[in-house]
Amino acid sequence: MNLTVNAGAVVLASEGGAVPVVHPGAADGVFSLLWLVIALPLAGAVVLLLGGAMARGALDRVGHWLGTATVAGSFALSVALFVSLLGRSEEERQVGQHLYTWFQVGGLDVGMDLLYDPLSALFLLLITGVGALIHVYSIAYMEHDPRRRRFFGYLNLFVAAMLVLVLSANYLGLFLGWEGVGLASYLLIGFWQHKHSAAAAAKKAFVINRVGDIGLSLAIALMFATFGTTDFAAISAVSGEAGQGTLNALGLLLLLGACGKSAQVPLQAWLLDAMEGPTPVSALIHAATMVTAGVYLVVRSNFIYELAPAAQTVVVIVATVTLLWGAILGCAKDDIKKALAGSTMSQIGYMMLAAGLGVAGYPFAIFHLLTHGFFKANMFLGAGSVMHGMDDDVDMRHYGGLSKYMPVTFLTFAMGYLAIIGFPGFSGFWSKDKIIETALAENLVVGLCALLGAGITGFYMTRLMLMTFFGEKRWSEGVHPHESPKLMTIPLVVLAALSVLGGVLLLGDFVVDFLAPVTGVAEHHEPPLAPIAITILAVLVVAVGVGAAWYLVGRQAVPREAPQDVSFATRAARADLYGDAINDAVVVRPGLHLVHGLVTFDRVGVDGAVEGGSAAVGGISGVLRRVQNGFVRSYALSLLGGVLLVVLALLAVNLA
């Protein structure tokens, strides 16, 4: 087989001939409006955040509708673009649009260029579609917040930044959106900054993500030093000319960036704390933006990873550890949002695992990313609906029996639950099953870990359902559970339908064939069992997890307070597997000692040398000042002394 490239994609061609490099075609027709997809929410953010001083009263009254309309407009345009893309042949499904020259420095010429292809097309539908539903939901959820206009401005900024990230045709443009997403997440996680916990969580997310950003920025610098460009298509065309060490370094640096944004081990500690933000923020971060950015980066950079097997192996290891790590966290959390956050960490691990498996796994990584966007947005917004009816209480130990009081929330949440555990026929069943099948075919140990993760998912999600919607009521006397308003339940119904029907993307291998121009195609390895046997095995493993949850949680009363006399494993899971303690021991404290040592060296060494030298010069000048006193008699005496010294020296020479 010959390894060739196709404008940002690695393609495996037969020995008969190479696949030519296809450059993105010109944007014409509806594609000429591609820039509007970004411009609409960006304009909404500018108006809502900067226009308040001129028309504060009017914007406060209609700002939430304006913010929602801009994202809905981007979604409508994304649908039109997608339909137009389907009308093109496979070879023409890459459209480029040059907006303007961003900057020119030496040999680096970077344009503000957009690339619309099958990968970015699917992301546009997810970001704007789910994003629009979250905006609609937020109209009611944030109704009584005095800063609702600003909140929608931040939401618009978040969506616009993510769209820049997935539409950019080069890594520098991607990095611009990458940093925009980081800024918007900081503003939204800490939106209720009057709460110390929210402000601390925002800062934590921002700092940890900066660690990952160092990796991405170094990768971009190395790309320019190696290839002289940061353009996807250009790098793809010449990536095979780079050395193995360089390619592996690029892959590892890109992975570091992906770990930060997608909360993969070891940069995962910020994700659960980020639940301090308003619930729509959690839905947006976990379903349509931010945590999916790392998966996008790895899949978009497939032309690097296909030539860097060592880096690809590290991706698989990190993903496998993360999918189990997040699943374990979800088993011990009583906070409904944090339980879902642990679930997100685990599910993103599945996506990264598929991406690390290479050409065979790329389309399934994106497939699971899409289905996860549907059911996870559904469940996060469902959790917000539960909180809305429970006076913002997030502790599942204070719930119980809510299915009778919140029927729409219960039924829609149940669709997401069945999807995420992989119940046959639901969207997650199709996408996760393909990842497990591919993992078993590529590596038996990794495949078994993915299978184990599916079983744990069945356990913690069933535990969440039982504690929230079933059993005896456990809420306080002053709490009166009630169904949420229609502006909150309508998005839940739409997302529940997508959670059920999302698997249609796999019909006729649509998602695989559609992504082929970007991710490439390859022959799959044969799994150790027949696909139907793997499917049955996965369902049985999930059933064991569900049964274990019913046995341990469903059969007995749930105490309102978490028991303290628990096993070490439970204590560890409650403490996020000591992720913060590990970061403190490995990074924070050594960092503080290093900084303290540098400060001490600066004060004692650098400042000491400078100040000591100046003190020595000052002392010498003080002595010399006594000689240069301005009195004639002193100068005459000095002259006489000098003459005597000269005479004595001459006599000594003559006598010798």
Side-chain angles (χ1 to χ4, degrees):
M1 302 289 283
N2 291 329
L3 189 62
T4 59
V5 293
N6 183 14
V10 171
V11 178
L12 296 177
S14 64
E15 292 289 344
V19 177
V21 176
V22 181
H23 296 284
D28 52 10
V30 69
F31 296 110
S32 64
L33 302 177
L34 183 61
W35 62 277
L36 266 179
V37 176
I38 300 172
L40 286 173
L42 183 59
V46 170
V47 171
L48 292 174
L49 296 176
L50 303 180
M54 295 180 291
R56 186 178 303 275
L59 284 178
D60 286 343
R61 289 191 298 272
V62 302
H64 47 284
W65 293 109
L66 173 63
T68 304
T70 59
V71 179
S74 288
F75 174 65
L77 187 54
S78 297
V79 171
L81 289 165
F82 179 72
V83 172
S84 298
L85 195 68
L86 289 177
R88 290 190 167 202
S89 63
E90 183 176 305
E91 295 76 15
E92 296 177 329
R93 287 181 180 173
Q94 290 180 321
V95 181
Q97 185 175 43
H98 175 73
L99 301 181
Y100 55 87
T101 298
W102 188 5
F103 62 85
Q104 292 177 308
V105 179
L108 182 61
D109 185 355
V110 179
M112 186 56 68
D113 299 329
L114 306 181
L115 173 63
Y116 185 72
D117 61 6
L119 180 60
S120 54
L122 293 178
F123 267 89
L124 257 61
L125 292 174
L126 177 68
I127 296 166
T128 59
V130 175
L133 292 172
I134 293 172
H135 276 69
V136 172
Y137 179 96
S138 301
I139 293 173
Y141 191 86
M142 300 295 290
E143 181 178 6
H144 301 295
D145 195 295
R147 301 165 66 235
R148 181 165 64 164
R149 172 179 56 81
R150 180 175 296 184
F151 179 79
F152 275 84
Y154 291 160
L155 285 185
N156 273 198
L157 179 63
F158 208 160
V159 171
M162 190 66 187
L163 290 171
V164 170
L165 192 158
V166 300
L167 276 176
S168 293
N170 56 68
Y171 281 100
L172 277 175
L174 181 149
F175 190 71
L176 177 65
W178 191 272
E179 292 302 297
V181 167
L183 171 62
S185 67
Y186 170 78
L187 296 171
L188 285 167
I189 293 170
F191 184 74
W192 289 326
Q193 69 264 32
H194 59 276
K195 296 166 54 181
H196 173 74
S197 56
K203 182 172 66 175
K204 183 177 183 179
F206 191 81
V207 171
I208 291 179
N209 271 272
R210 297 293 74 73
V211 177
D213 293 353
I214 291 174
L216 180 55
S217 59
L218 289 175
I220 295 172
L222 182 57
M223 287 175 190
F224 175 66
T226 305
F227 306 114
T229 181
T230 64
D231 185 76
F232 296 146
I235 294 175
S236 173
V238 297
S239 56
E241 300 174 6
Q244 193 70 56
T246 299
L247 290 168
N248 280 316
L250 282 173
L252 292 175
L253 290 171
L254 290 171
L255 175 62
L256 180 59
C259 284
K261 278 290 182 289
S262 292
Q264 300 291 283
V265 175
L267 300 180
Q268 83 291 346
W270 66 270
L271 189 64
L272 271 67
D273 289 356
M275 298 303 98
E276 289 292 337
T279 301
V281 175
S282 303
L284 194 60
I285 287 176
H286 288 248
T289 60
M290 195 148 180
V291 295
T292 64
V295 181
Y296 172 82
L297 178 65
V298 173
V299 175
R300 175 60 78 187
S301 304
N302 59 75
F303 46 84
I304 297 293
Y305 284 101
E306 286 303 308
L307 300 173
Q312 208 169 42
T313 300
V314 176
V315 173
V316 171
I317 294 172
V318 167
T320 304
V321 170
T322 303
L323 75 86
L324 293 175
W325 189 297
I328 292 171
L329 297 189
C331 294
K333 295 300 178 183
D334 295 328
D335 183 320
I336 187 171
K337 289 174 65 178
K338 289 190 176 182
L340 290 174
S343 166
T344 296
M345 187 188 305
S346 179
Q347 299 306 308
I348 298 293
Y350 275 103
M351 300 171 209
M352 293 291 286
L353 170 60
L357 294 175
V359 177
Y362 293 136
F364 302 128
I366 300 304
F367 182 31
H368 193 54
L369 186 149
L370 294 172
T371 60
H372 175 265
F374 302 149
F375 59 68
K376 187 51 64 67
N378 176 22
M379 288 190 290
F380 261 113
L381 296 184
S385 182
V386 170
M387 293 165 56
H388 181 270
M390 294 293 293
D391 291 348
D392 289 329
D393 191 349
V394 297
D395 193 337
M396 294 185 294
R397 293 185 177 276
H398 301 164
Y399 297 164
L402 291 181
S403 59
K404 301 175 184 178
Y405 300 87
M406 310 179 70
V408 177
T409 299
F410 164 65
L411 289 173
T412 54
F413 198 101
M415 298 303 102
Y417 158 75
L418 293 172
I420 192 173
I421 68 170
F423 191 84
F426 287 71
S427 61
F429 166 79
W430 304 106
S431 57
K432 191 186 296 185
D433 186 72
K434 295 303 294 185
I435 293 176
I436 293 173
E437 179 184 324
T438 305
L440 284 170
E442 297 293 328
N443 186 292
L444 182 60
V445 174
V446 172
L448 291 175
C449 288
L451 199 59
L452 175 62
I456 301 175
T457 301
F459 174 83
Y460 69 74
M461 285 307 305
T462 303
R463 172 181 178 269
L464 185 152
M465 287 292 292
L466 293 171
M467 292 179 68
T468 302
F469 295 106
F470 297 97
E472 297 295 326
K473 66 177 185 179
R474 300 183 297 276
W475 57 82
S476 304
E477 290 296 329
V479 177
H480 303 285
H482 56 277
E483 189 58 270
S484 299
K486 288 186 177 180
L487 279 176
M488 292 173 63
T489 57
I490 289 175
L492 293 179
V493 172
V494 175
L495 289 167
L498 292 171
S499 300
V500 177
L501 302 173
V504 300
L505 292 172
L506 195 60
L507 290 178
D509 281 339
F510 168 78
V511 71
V512 176
D513 296 337
F514 183 69
L515 288 171
V518 180
T519 61
V521 291
E523 294 181 0
H524 294 256
H525 293 99
E526 287 296 326
L529 298 173
I532 185 62
I534 293 175
T535 298
I536 294 173
L537 179 61
V539 171
L540 290 176
V541 169
V542 171
V544 171
V546 172
W550 176 82
Y551 182 80
L552 296 174
V553 180
R555 294 190 317 129
Q556 52 192 329
V558 177
R560 274 183 54 85
E561 300 299 329
Q564 298 303 310
D565 185 17
V566 295
S567 65
F568 171 76
T570 301
R571 292 197 303 272
R574 288 179 180 176
D576 298 346
L577 296 182
Y578 305 108
D580 287 333
I582 294 171
N583 288 341
D584 187 62
V586 175
V587 178
V588 177
R589 278 184 288 175
L592 289 175
H593 289 312
L594 175 62
V595 172
H596 178 72
L598 292 174
V599 170
T600 302
F601 173 75
D602 180 64
R603 290 176 178 173
V604 176
V606 179
D607 290 352
V610 174
E611 294 174 359
S614 63
V617 172
I620 295 171
S621 65
V623 174
L624 295 176
R625 190 182 300 115
R626 297 177 182 177
V627 179
Q628 301 292 332
N629 55 19
F631 294 110
V632 175
R633 59 179 180 271
S634 297
Y635 295 155
L637 181 60
S638 299
L639 179 62
L640 178 61
V643 171
L644 289 175
L645 287 175
V646 171
V647 170
L648 290 175
L650 291 173
L651 288 174
V653 170
N654 290 330
L655 290 175

